[in-house]
């Protein structure tokens, strides 16, 4: 199956020429051959910090607020992924969502799928095995959240859309048109701006790595900080990215 795919041959899986296990194995192999995870290396630290909010609540009301914030932050982060990765991730998550909806038939829950695919969706290829083992629980929770909620996660928040529409009417700069033109010609244009947006809300210490283990209180503060930054910084900057991309089209 892999050889035929590499040759570019047209394959019909409806004929069941290949087993489900063979297809799943080839899918994982293709994802594993990508140079970086589907959320990209740049966005991974932010996804990780958003995921740490998962268990930080003491009541049902707190849980709802955390899930709402987690959803909003993830929606914004997904919009920063390059188009080719964005389309692949979207198709994959909807596929896995369909699989877990048939758990009674295939015995594959969203958590089981999260364990299997977290290294392909979230984990950077350069992550050491020991660190991967330590963070496996967080990575699984984050991937499970993506698998369970693809419909809402790939929908832009209404308040962001309203901001963008308002911004587009107010701003019409030739400088941004020039930026879009440079991007279409292969220069450091829109993609560079989006990358800068990602790094604007990731603390420097997250890239350099912590020298020692942080206690639970520090982790919670850092998670809240990143999510607050996502809501304030990305909301204010991402509208500019969308406008430029619309001009580029």
């Amino acid at each position: 199956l892999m050889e035929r795919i590499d040759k570019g041959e047209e394959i019909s899986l409806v004929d069941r020429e290949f087993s489900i296990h063979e297809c799943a194995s080839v899918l994982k192999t293709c994802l594993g051959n990508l140079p970086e995870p589907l959320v990209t290396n740049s966005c991974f630290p932010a996804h990780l910090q958003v995921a740490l909010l998962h268990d930080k609540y003491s009541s049902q009301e707190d849980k709802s607020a955390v899930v709402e914030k987690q959803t909003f932050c993830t929606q914004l982060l997904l919009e920063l992924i390059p188009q080719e990765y964005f389309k692949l991730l979207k198709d994959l998550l909807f596929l896995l969502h369909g699989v877990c909806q048939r758990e009674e038939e295939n015995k594959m829950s969203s958590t089981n799928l999260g364990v299997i695919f977290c290294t392909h969706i979230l984990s950077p290829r350069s992550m050491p095995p020991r660190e991967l083992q330590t963070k496996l629980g967080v990575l699984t929770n984050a991937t499970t959240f993506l698998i369970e909620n693809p419909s809402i996660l790939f929908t832009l928040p209404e308040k962001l859309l309203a901001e963008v529409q308002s911004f587009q009417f107010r701003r019409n700069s030739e400088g941004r048109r020039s930026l879009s033109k440079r991007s279409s010609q292969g220069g450091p244009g829109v993609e560079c701006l989006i990358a800068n947006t990602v790094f604007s809300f990731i603390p420097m210490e997250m890239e350099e790595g912590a020298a020692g283990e942080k206690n639970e209180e520090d982790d919670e503060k850092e998670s809240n900080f990143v999510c607050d930054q996502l809501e304030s910084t990305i909301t204010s900057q991402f509208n500019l990215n969308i406008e430029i991309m619309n001009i580029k089209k």
Side-chain angles (χ1 to χ4, degrees):
L1 175 58
M2 193 69 187
E3 290 178 357
R4 291 177 61 179
I5 292 177
D6 289 338
K7 292 178 181 178
E9 296 183 15
E10 186 175 342
I11 301 171
S12 175
L13 299 179
V14 179
D15 299 334
R16 297 189 177 183
E17 180 180 355
F18 302 97
S19 69
I20 295 176
H21 299 291
E22 289 174 322
C23 294
S25 177
V26 169
L27 173 61
K28 290 176 60 181
T29 298
C30 292
L31 294 174
N33 288 337
L34 295 174
E36 58 182 335
L38 293 179
V39 301
T40 71
N41 293 329
S42 298
C43 293
F44 166 72
H47 277 283
L48 186 62
Q49 292 305 311
V50 171
L52 289 175
L53 290 173
H54 183 74
D55 297 320
K56 306 297 183 181
Y57 53 82
S58 56
S59 66
Q60 187 64 32
E61 184 177 348
D62 293 337
K63 177 181 178 180
S64 299
V66 167
V67 171
E68 183 179 353
K69 178 175 287 189
Q70 187 178 13
T71 299
F72 181 65
C73 293
T74 304
Q75 286 173 321
L76 297 177
L77 281 170
L78 292 179
E79 292 299 325
L80 299 178
I81 300 175
Q83 185 65 19
E84 59 273 17
Y85 272 39
F86 179 88
K87 293 176 63 177
L88 179 55
L89 177 60
K90 183 176 181 180
D91 289 343
L92 176 63
L93 290 180
F94 273 98
L95 170 65
L96 297 180
H97 181 75
V99 172
C100 71
Q101 291 294 303
R102 297 167 176 79
E103 181 181 351
E104 292 186 2
E105 304 172 23
N106 54 43
K107 309 303 179 184
M108 293 300 294
S109 66
S110 57
T111 302
N112 291 338
L113 293 171
V115 173
I116 295 172
F117 285 92
C118 67
T119 54
H120 303 301
I121 294 176
L122 285 172
S123 176
R125 304 290 182 254
S126 59
M127 181 177 289
R130 181 174 297 181
E131 183 180 357
L132 177 60
Q133 184 177 5
T134 302
K135 295 179 177 178
L136 185 59
V138 178
L139 295 175
T140 298
N141 289 338
T143 307
T144 300
F145 178 73
L146 294 174
I147 293 172
E148 291 177 346
N149 304 283
S151 295
I152 188 172
L153 293 179
F154 284 98
T155 302
L156 279 176
E158 290 186 6
K159 61 180 180 179
L160 179 59
L161 288 174
E163 256 192 60
V164 172
Q165 291 170 355
S166 175
F167 185 87
Q168 287 176 329
F169 279 111
R170 297 196 309 267
R171 304 287 294 273
N172 187 19
S173 168
E174 287 300 325
R176 291 192 301 279
R177 290 182 181 275
S178 176
L179 181 63
S180 176
K181 183 177 180 181
R182 290 201 305 272
S183 177
S184 66
Q185 294 175 347
V190 176
E191 291 76 8
C192 180
L193 179 59
I194 294 176
N196 289 337
T197 302
V198 174
F199 285 106
S200 68
F201 61 81
I202 300 177
M204 289 301 296
E205 62 268 25
M206 292 172 59
E207 295 186 26
E208 296 173 356
E213 294 185 359
K214 300 178 181 178
N215 58 42
E216 185 175 338
E217 183 177 354
D218 290 338
D219 284 340
E220 182 172 2
K221 289 181 179 178
E222 188 174 79
S223 298
N224 287 327
F225 170 78
V226 172
C227 290
D228 290 340
Q229 291 298 306
L230 278 166
E231 289 195 30
S232 60
T233 306
I234 296 187
T235 300
S236 62
Q237 294 188 29
F238 183 60
N239 47 21
L240 175 60
N241 297 341
I242 291 183
E243 183 193 14
I244 295 174
M245 286 187 284
N246 285 338
I247 294 174
K248 182 179 177 181
K249 292 178 182 179

